[in-house]
Amino acid sequence: MAEHRNGNGLQSSSKPSGGGGGGGGGGGVSYQIDLENFAKRLQALYGNWKENKGELWGNCDAFAVATPPASEDLRYLKSSALNIWLLGYEFPETIMVFSRKQLHFLCSAKKASLIEVVRKSAKEAVGGEVVIHVKGKGEDGSVQMDAVLRAVREGKGSVLGYLAKEAPEGALLELWSGKIKDCGMEVVDVTNGLSDLFAVKDVEEQKNVRKAAFLTASVMKNFVVPKLEQVIDEEQKVSHSALMDETEKAVLQPARVKAKLRPENVDICYPPIFQSGGQFDLRPSATSNDENLYYESASVIICAVGSRYNSYCSNIARTFLIDANSLQSKAYEVLLKAQEAAIAALKPGEKVSSVYQAVLSVVERDAPELVPNLAKSAGTGIGLEFRESGLTLNAKNDRVMKPGMIFNVSLGFQNLQSPQNSSSKDQNFSLLLADTVVLGPKGPDVCTNISSKAVKDVAYSFNEDEEEEERPKVKQETSRIDALMSKTTLRSVHSEHNKEEARRLHQAELARQKNEETARRLAGGGSGNGDSRSVSRPSSELVAYKNVNDLPFPKADLMIQIDQKNEAILLPIYGSMVPFHVSTVKTVNNQSDTNRNSYIRIIFNIPGTAFSPHDANSLKHQGSIYLKEVSFRSKDSRHINEIVAQIKTLRRQVASRESERAERATLVTQEKLVLANSKIRPLRLGDLWIRPQFGGRGRKQLGTLEAHINGFRYSTSKPDERVDIMYANIKHAFFQPAENEMICIIHFHLRNHIMVGTKKTKDVQFYREVMDMVQNVGGGRRSAYDPDEIEEEQRERDRKNKINMEFHAFAHRVNDIWDQSQFKGLELEFDQPLRELGFHGVPYKATAFIVPTSSCLVELTETPFLVITLAEIEIVNLERVGFGQKNFDMAIIFKDFKRDVFRIDSIPTTSLESIKEWLNTTDIKYYESRLNLNWRPILKTIVDDPQKFIDDGGWEFLNMDATDTDTDGSEESDKGYEPSDVEAESESEEEESESASLVESDDEEEEESEEESEEEKGKTWEELEREASNADRERGVDSDSEDERRRRKMKTFGKSRPGPSSGSMPKRAKMR
């Protein structure tokens, strides 16, 4: 921590801080002071000054804060903190003087142009006049300083406050320091006043600290711990300073540790600290030396990481024990209890000293011999400064704790001695634990708790304890050597066999838990039968006309009429026009004969026939007589065609409307969307297509997605094309960047259905195409080295990256909205598919690329969409898994047995191992089977008799391994491999041949017996080789070399057959 880099200096390469609500992102943006935040905090400053003028501010009538020049070193100064807290940025080489009636700024012209905007806000907030003194490039600022001090004296100021503990840096501040000493006024230190001002953080400040703490804990959990385990596991030699450099890079790249924070808003609080090998320093100024990490038996490793978000600090420290001895284990357990007691003692209204008293009482009770080694404080306040001196957690601080204070609870034992260790690096050790804690109205909130400090997670053992217990004491020295030679891995396993064994054990534990969970759910009646088919809703009573007077006036020639308004067909029957509602028509068609007569045939829906629904009318008029069909003849074929077309069009319109009405009747009533007002501009993402698309004809329109107070609204230029999605109705939200696809996607999977146009859906997707569809008019192939082609590809890549970044920024900002307290219960966050875990399969009718996320299994590119919540899965059965199979199927059984089993077919076998590993890591129990199962009767059997299902072992009937073991449980199964099946097959073939020979001739029987006798008298290959070699020597031919014989032998047998063995020749197949 010795080197301290400056946080948010106002330079061309700097970045604005969010601490004061400053706008903007990275370098190159225009700086803008948040006036609302400035006014609020200026009021707080003057209020604290007025309230504590005598106690903390030294009765000063005015106070000055001078900011030093920009520096690349990490440093924490109250002057810089006040700049960031009040203005949002640090203004280097700027002097601010606060008096009751005026605010003086002495700075350069560029900074003056930025500060100019606060005049009105300062006047409205505290009634103070802002006076800006511009220092020219060639000036030393002496004239402007005299003007400032003169204005203070004229305002009846006799006491001037300043930051006495900050040494002046640079020519400007050195000159100012001399001026205030010779100003003729009494000078006092106002450090305590600013410390009290910064002690209680507002909501925005707490949010920044929480984000910094999340990043810090993520670095410790997702980078430091795995890195240490890898180094120790592979016995690498890595220095503390090298680990420090790698960890610093991880902090500055949040994506590496799964933290969705902008890198430009992130920095380190201090260089990460790694200590081991007996050299420990628990002070915040400690550094990582160049010694190698020491991880032998009974060693201790201390790691500390601090990060900043928008200049607000956070801290975490963990101690790791390697084959800890009894003293180290006891000391760590006591330290853990003491830190937990310190955190529990953080209560509003209590004195700060009570925290250290709680620590001391735990250590004195559980390990009084460790009291001399206990640190003299339990931490400090933390915020814009890494150590807020006014909030030190020691026994002498009597300040009262308030909600909004934030503490770095850091506790340790220094210079403990372990005499039983032989090495000097093991004898001396220290322990350290630190966490960032926000004090809320009801108590403390540990912001870094995602990084575990439990003994089981920080204590590692290399020795095989079970083997050591089984070994006799006589061989104690040998066992010690063997233990050192056989170090186990920490949390990773090199051997595939061990990996498979670990997975098998985990699946066995999951099977036990799943059977218990299923038994409890079935016993409680938590699931019905497996039939999920819905019952059709009865249609409303069909009424075309309420009374006879509503009938249209009949035409003179009594022709068929279509009443579009009342949705009726009027048919001339026996001289009268009889109305029929169009919904009663089942089919209508027309045809012509050879005499130029045209016929129209209308068939009606009547109860009792196949595929006719029993609606309210048929149930109400059960004894009535129904007209089944009617036909009319006409000489006017054109009129008949028009009538048929009108009836079909009207039927289609009415059916569509009734379908939509039935769909809407099943919708859950949603809350009303609260639109963002003029002060709070909604987040917008434009030029989006929507799926499912709106109905209707005409060209489809691009729309805009807006995030309002309690939900989203998507709308196009057409007034009737609008969709509202409430935050409370969103079950899962996904952001899928365009990588191998042509579209970038924002997708919402909903809890309840909504209507998009005329379609009822639970999935709503918004996307933008990242590449324009173009066609080469020339028709010829273009060279890969064509500059136009290269430029076009580069444009396409830039467009894809730009769209991905725009969608990512939108999702990130919406996540910030969902982090607000009113949406905490929804647990919403944009999830991103993990493409490296994806696999191909057929979820519906076509092959798709299915990708897991942290909480779902999804396919969002092709319709229909696939979104399966992992928490709703009971088990997964992998079917058609067997040797030689190119594909297998996945059957997903849900906890709600009323839902049909979902199948994903034709998954390549190459994806089997990765799918099994993914299911295992997500704690989903899976089984394997060689055949496809009919799941509907299986689930029905389970629901009908759950007790029998539980008594029979639950889901273990799917365990293929257990079934194979039971069936092969004979005594011969323990023997080695014997080709008994081959012999049995040969015997069966002989039996078949004998039975077949009954119908053959005697000559064939004699030939078979001769062949068999020859086979029985056959010689081995060695004998035949020996005879051939002797014959060659008798003829004077040189014997071939062993290689030549082997080559000739292989040529005779061919590559596909194995060579002859030293045993007897196998029997030849009998020839017929």
Side-chain angles (χ1 to χ4, degrees), residues 638-655:
R638 183 183 59 81
H639 176 67
I640 292 294
N641 293 333
E642 290 178 356
I643 290 297
V644 171
Q646 290 178 10
I647 294 176
K648 289 183 176 180
T649 301
L650 185 58
R651 285 185 65 246
R652 187 164 54 246
Q653 293 175 353
V654 173

Side-chain angles (χ1 to χ4, degrees), residues 367-577:
E369 69 278 7
L370 300 180
V371 171
N373 304 95
L374 182 64
K376 301 306 178 184
S377 74
T380 61
I382 194 170
L384 286 169
E385 298 176 280
F386 182 74
R387 286 179 291 171
E388 295 182 346
S389 56
L391 293 178
T392 302
L393 300 176
N394 56 26
K396 300 178 181 179
N397 195 339
D398 291 332
R399 291 192 60 179
V400 177
M401 291 181 284
K402 302 176 182 178
M405 290 183 173
I406 302 177
F407 295 93
N408 169 30
V409 182
S410 178
L411 197 62
F413 288 126
Q414 179 79 45
N415 296 326
L416 295 173
Q417 300 296 321
S418 181
Q420 61 265 40
N421 294 338
S422 58
S423 173
S424 60
K425 293 186 176 182
D426 298 334
Q427 289 180 354
N428 181 46
F429 69 94
S430 299
L431 304 176
L432 179 65
L433 287 176
D435 285 286
T436 304
V437 183
V438 175
L439 182 57
K442 297 182 180 180
D445 179 16
V446 182
C447 302
T448 50
N449 57 2
I450 63 171
S451 176
S452 176
K453 54 190 173 186
V455 177
K456 64 182 181 65
D457 294 321
V458 300
Y460 297 98
S461 176
F462 288 87
N463 300 325
E464 295 289 347
D465 296 332
E466 296 179 359
E467 293 180 5
E468 289 179 357
E469 291 176 1
E470 294 174 357
R471 292 170 183 164
K473 295 182 180 179
V474 181
K475 298 183 180 180
Q476 183 176 3
E477 190 67 28
T478 306
S479 66
R480 184 178 176 185
I481 298 174
D482 292 342
L484 292 174
M485 295 295 292
S486 60
K487 289 185 177 180
T488 60
T489 58
L490 296 178
R491 292 183 186 176
S492 60
V493 184
H494 294 301
S495 171
E496 287 296 327
H497 173 73
N498 291 342
K499 187 175 181 180
E500 181 65 31
E501 180 66 16
R503 190 165 66 193
R504 186 185 65 80
L505 293 175
H506 186 220
Q507 285 292 308
E509 177 63 20
L510 287 177
R512 183 188 64 80
Q513 296 176 2
K514 186 59 63 177
N515 286 330
E516 292 177 357
E517 177 188 336
T518 306
R520 287 194 300 268
R521 194 168 65 251
L522 291 175
S527 180
N529 56 35
D531 192 357
S532 62
R533 291 168 291 185
S534 59
V535 181
S536 60
R537 294 171 56 87
S539 61
S540 58
E541 186 174 358
L542 303 176
V543 177
Y545 302 100
K546 293 183 179 181
N547 54 61
V548 180
N549 298 328
D550 294 335
L551 287 171
F553 190 76
K555 297 181 180 180
D557 47 3
L558 294 178
M559 297 177 65
I560 298 177
Q561 299 180 37
I562 308 299
D563 188 350
Q564 299 281 353
K565 181 180 178 181
N566 293 293
E567 301 171 353
I569 306 171
L570 290 96
L571 302 178
I573 299 177
Y574 296 117
S576 300
M577 299 300 292

Side-chain angles (χ1 to χ4, degrees), residues 877-930:
N877 193 42
L878 306 177
E879 303 178 347
R880 292 197 301 116
V881 176
F883 181 74
Q885 294 283 355
K886 293 184 178 180
N887 301 299
F888 68 96
D889 305 328
M890 177 189 293
I892 299 175
I893 298 90
F894 297 99
K895 293 179 180 179
D896 182 7
F897 291 160
K898 294 180 181 180
R899 293 178 62 178
D900 285 336
V901 171
F902 190 86
R903 301 186 60 84
I904 302 176
D905 298 325
S906 301
I907 304 173
T909 305
T910 53
S911 302
L912 178 61
E913 285 302 315
S914 61
I915 290 176
K916 287 161 65 175
E917 184 64 25
W918 165 68
L919 291 171
N920 189 61
T921 54
T922 51
D923 292 339
I924 295 178
K925 175 59 184 171
Y926 67 85
Y927 293 93
E928 300 178 44
S929 62
R930 296 187 178 92

